[in-house]
Structures are given as structure tokens and as C-alpha cells.
Amino acid sequence: DQQVKQNSPSLSVQEGRISILNCDYTNSMFDYFLWYKKYPAEGPTFLISISSIKDKNEDGRFTVFLNKSAKHLSLHIVPSQPGDSAVYFCAASGYSGTYKYIFGTGTRLKVLA
Amino acid sequence: DVKVTQSSRYLVKRTGEKVFLECVQDMDHENMFWYRQDPGLGLRLIYFSYDVKMKEKGDIPEGYSVSREKKERFSLILESASTNQTSMYLCASSSLQGAYDFGPGTRLTVT
């Protein structure tokens, strides 16, 4: 049972436009969410986080939105750049003795020059 | 700026071999994790540890074991490697509620 889902395996966007990556979760106890970016043959790198007490968090070109009632979060990248081409993973966690993140299956973003 | 290192970037082993994957972090993190990444399956948790000598099974522990004798080091052991363990292995560490810092990954091929 996939508790964290990224239903779009891939996404193509023109350079300079907005990229929107989506993530859905099923467990209402999740209270902290992360986005990671991963290039081939490298480890994932942390991008941005959001806690359940907020509905939006911004960091430069990256904004994460959280809709708790829909159990949905999204990552917006504006403007998209070719260097943003990578696989993006969302992850969710709730306290269960320790914090352990469950990852989605990833969305491959391709930004076209 | 070393944070999480893994002993090998690429590894080729034969079926039935015992394989050791080492991970070291220099951030004094309590938590350490081993994941594997496979196409279409995302990152799946194999084992994690929240303290020295403590370990807990993740979602796919079968065929693996771990060891954490020191806070900074977390080892993943494949007792008898099989071809279905060919994968990218990622080690991560975190403070109590923090985001994970990942290592560069080890691409393991079992032939």
C-alpha cells in the first residue's frame, strides 16, 4: 500500500515556464513533508520542506504548497531552468517513536531549452 | 564539506557473495538509514538505526542485515547476494526530526 504517491512519472516543461510536481498521501498522521531532487548516479539532495502547520513555504524559485484536507502537496518551480531536469521525490513523515520518511516513486522533470 | 560518504560508488559482485556497504556521516546525527532505489519503485527503506547498536527493519529487510557499532558508521550487509539485489543503494542520516542528508549512492550489480 503506497502511502505517498506521485502519479506522474514524468513531466516536460519549456525553459522559463512553471513546473508543477504533485504528491498525494494517505496517512493523516503525516505532519512533515520534504522534496528532494536527484540527478543520475548521485544521491538525492534536499530542496525544501513544509510542516503541517503551514500551507506554503518558499525558497527562491521553489515553493511548496500543502493542502491538508486533500492530503496533497505540490512543488512549484518558477522559472524552470534546464539544470532543474532531474527526478523529484516527495517524502512524508509523522512521529512514531522516531522520524522516518516515506518516499514517493518520483517524477522525472525535463526542462526543454 | 564532507557529510555522508559511502565506501564505493560502483560495485560488481557474484551471486552468493557476502557484500558489505559502508556509510559514514560526520554530522553527529542520531538516525541513519539504508534505502534502495529502483526504477518505478522510488526509494524503499531497508533498515534504519536511531542509536548505536539499535536497528529496526524497514519495508524490505529480507536478504539484508545491518550493523551500527559507532554513531558515525552504518553498514549494510548482503548475506548472500542475489541478482534481484542489483540496485542503487543510498545511505542517509538525520538529526531527530531533520531532513535527510544522503550519500552519493552505491550502484551494485550482482551477476
Side-chain angles (χ1 to χ4, degrees):
Chain A
D1 179 30
Q2 192 79 22
Q3 294 189 66
V4 179
K5 300 177 188 178
Q6 293 177 258
N7 291 318
S8 299
S10 63
L11 175 69
S12 291
V13 170
Q14 284 297 132
E15 181 179 6
R17 307 295 291 268
I18 184 171
S19 295
I20 300 176
L21 296 98
N22 294 305
C23 180
D24 297 293
Y25 61 97
T26 57
N27 189 338
S28 57
M29 300 302 289
F30 288 151
D31 60 0
Y32 207 73
F33 305 89
L34 310 174
W35 282 95
Y36 281 84
K37 176 169 78 172
K38 186 181 184 301
Y39 294 120
E42 293 184 14
T45 53
F46 170 70
L47 269 179
I48 193 167
S49 64
I50 189 165
S51 100
S52 58
I53 62 172
K54 292 187 171 184
D55 54 18
K56 177 182 172 181
N57 189 26
E58 278 183 88
D59 184 0
R61 296 187 298 115
F62 301 92
T63 303
V64 57
F65 295 92
L66 176 62
N67 182 333
K68 290 186 288 293
S69 60
K71 296 191 184 72
H72 176 84
L73 62 156
S74 59
L75 175 69
H76 293 211
I77 307 173
V78 185
S80 302
Q81 299 172 355
D84 295 329
S85 297
V87 178
Y88 289 78
F89 292 98
C90 65
S93 176
Y95 187 71
S96 57
T98 187
Y99 280 96
K100 184 179 63 171
Y101 285 91
I102 297 173
F103 286 79
T105 51
T107 296
R108 182 176 302 278
L109 173 66
K110 194 170 191 178
V111 180
L112 307 168
Chain B
D1 190 33
V2 173
K3 290 189 173 183
V4 182
T5 57
Q6 294 183 228
S7 50
S8 305
R9 294 297 302 272
Y10 299 93
L11 209 52
V12 180
K13 295 292 181 181
R14 293 188 181 275
T15 302
E17 278 194 81
K18 192 168 186 175
V19 182
F20 294 86
L21 302 181
E22 303 284 333
C23 175
V24 178
Q25 52 97 1
D26 65 359
M27 294 165 287
D28 202 36
H29 282 165
E30 291 81 6
N31 299 332
M32 295 189 76
F33 307 84
W34 276 105
Y35 285 84
R36 62 179 279 180
Q37 183 200 0
D38 300 289
L41 298 176
L43 301 176
R44 294 182 294 164
L45 181 63
I46 304 170
Y47 267 97
F48 68 102
S49 168
Y50 52 88
D51 201 353
V52 176
K53 296 192 187 291
M54 305 299 288
K55 60 186 179 185
E56 286 199 24
K57 293 179 180 179
D59 300 318
I60 51 163
E62 297 78 20
Y64 303 95
S65 62
V66 291
S67 171
R68 192 167 182 199
E69 297 294 321
K70 293 185 178 181
K71 190 175 185 180
E72 67 270 19
R73 187 179 298 268
F74 192 36
S75 303
L76 179 70
I77 303 147
L78 286 66
E79 298 291 342
S80 176
S82 63
T83 54
N84 64 11
Q85 292 179 309
T86 291
S87 186
M88 167 72 96
Y89 288 88
L90 294 161
C91 174
S93 71
S94 73
S95 57
L96 286 175
Q97 195 193 353
Y100 290 178
D101 285 292
F102 280 93
T106 296
R107 169 71 64 186
L108 172 67
T109 302
V110 182
T111 61

